[in-house]
Amino acid sequence: MAFSATLKISNDVAKITLSGELDAMTAPIFKIEVEKAVAEHPKHLVLLMQDLEYMASGGLRVLIFAKQTIDAAADIYIVAPQEMVLETLKKTGFDQSVLIVDEYVASL
């Protein structure tokens, strides 16, 4: 499945929907969307990952970039990651730096 990253911003929430396989070749696409989101200074960066089948270290580097560049008071939510993606987050300890949820509710 081809990778895609789609950004939507509203009410201080930046949502990026990810699908396909996130690796070194596709990470720049994701990084562009993260840069656009961070530039808007959202209170929440929501990464919808239910359709993301795979994430390699290139994708993880973009997540780290997002964490380093977003406003300190902003939260990063990872929503509904598939088991393989969740394992990658846990093995690297990045799950301790973000909020992993089954669904994002705007009132959180």
Side-chain angles (χ1 to χ4, degrees), residues 10-25:
S10 66
N11 299 329
D12 293 327
V13 176
K15 290 183 182 179
I16 301 176
T17 302
L18 302 167
S19 65
E21 296 184 358
L22 179 53
D23 57 21
M25 296 294 291

Side-chain angles (χ1 to χ4, degrees), residues 56-89:
S57 60
L60 191 60
R61 281 191 293 275
V62 177
L63 288 177
I64 293 167
F65 168 79
K67 185 69 177 167
Q68 291 173 337
T69 57
I70 198 163
D71 294 341
D75 293 315
I76 297 177
Y77 289 85
I78 294 185
V79 181
Q82 292 188 20
E83 192 61 34
M84 185 180 292
V85 173
L86 184 58
E87 285 179 25
T88 299
L89 295 172

Side-chain angles (χ1 to χ4, degrees), residues 50-62:
Q50 60 270 13
D51 295 324
L52 186 66
E53 298 170 358
Y54 172 79
M55 182 174 61
S57 60
L60 191 60
R61 281 191 293 275
V62 177

